[in-house]
Amino acid sequence: LKSFKLQDSFDIKQNFFGFTVDPMQTNRVWFYSRQIATHKNDFAGIEATGKELTLPPQSHHLDFDDDGLVTEFGFYTVDRAQGNTGGLGGAFGYFYGVGKPLPFPEGKPYKPSFRYSMLQKFGNLMQKLQKKKKD
């Protein structure tokens, strides 16, 4: 992420919270963040807008070796409905937030497939029919 120079282009408040040791993998620490960032300098060819980005909540983990050094860092968006970056976290959210989404599906907001949407609608219909049957 350093190559994107996010710190140079945005005033970022990480808002880390909820640190806990994994009971199943004791060399792993889990925690969350709720990032807020203000676009203060040029980023990806977009002049500073002053826009405030609110990224969705993200879960993070750090794995440590026996010497206490970090061996792995991972993060995952946990609620795509939050924020104003199309549900995208990490660097993808910053690109989308300034109006320059990355040119591949993972760099764009989640969009359910037609099949999945139809399955959801069918499931909702079946629930309604089951409820009417009980009444």
Side-chain angles (χ1 to χ4, degrees):
L1 291 173
K2 283 187 178 185
S3 64
F4 294 121
K5 300 184 179 182
L6 296 174
Q7 298 287 347
D8 295 343
S9 301
F10 297 90
D11 178 23
I12 302 171
K13 293 178 182 69
Q14 295 286 356
N15 300 313
F16 294 120
F17 66 98
F19 290 80
T20 187
V21 175
D22 188 319
M24 304 287 289
Q25 187 178 343
T26 56
N27 69 319
R28 178 170 282 190
V29 174
W30 291 95
F31 57 100
Y32 294 91
S33 71
R34 298 290 310 258
Q35 291 181 13
I36 297 172
T38 304
H39 186 197
K40 66 178 184 173
N41 289 317
D42 293 358
F43 177 69
I46 305 291
E47 290 184 22
T49 62
K51 181 178 180 179
E52 184 175 274
L53 304 181
T54 303
L55 279 74
Q58 296 180 95
S59 176
H60 304 264
H61 79 264
L62 293 171
D63 290 359
F64 297 90
D65 65 17
D66 291 338
D67 295 323
L69 300 175
V70 174
T71 60
E72 183 177 310
F73 170 71
F75 62 95
Y76 321 89
T77 298
V78 294
D79 187 351
R80 295 183 300 229
Q82 298 289 312
N84 62 359
T85 61
L88 298 169
F92 293 2
Y94 289 90
F95 281 96
Y96 181 83
V98 298
K100 196 166 185 173
L102 295 169
F104 43 83
E106 295 82 2
K108 294 177 176 40
Y110 171 72
K111 182 179 177 189
S113 69
F114 176 75
R115 282 185 194 171
Y116 184 75
S117 296
M118 290 296 106
L119 181 63
Q120 291 290 94
K121 288 178 184 192
F122 180 73
N124 290 339
L125 176 63
M126 295 307 290
Q127 282 183 338
K128 286 179 184 177
L129 291 174
Q130 290 294 331
K131 187 175 179 182
K132 282 186 179 182
K133 211 177 203 183
K134 289 179 181 178
D135 294 340

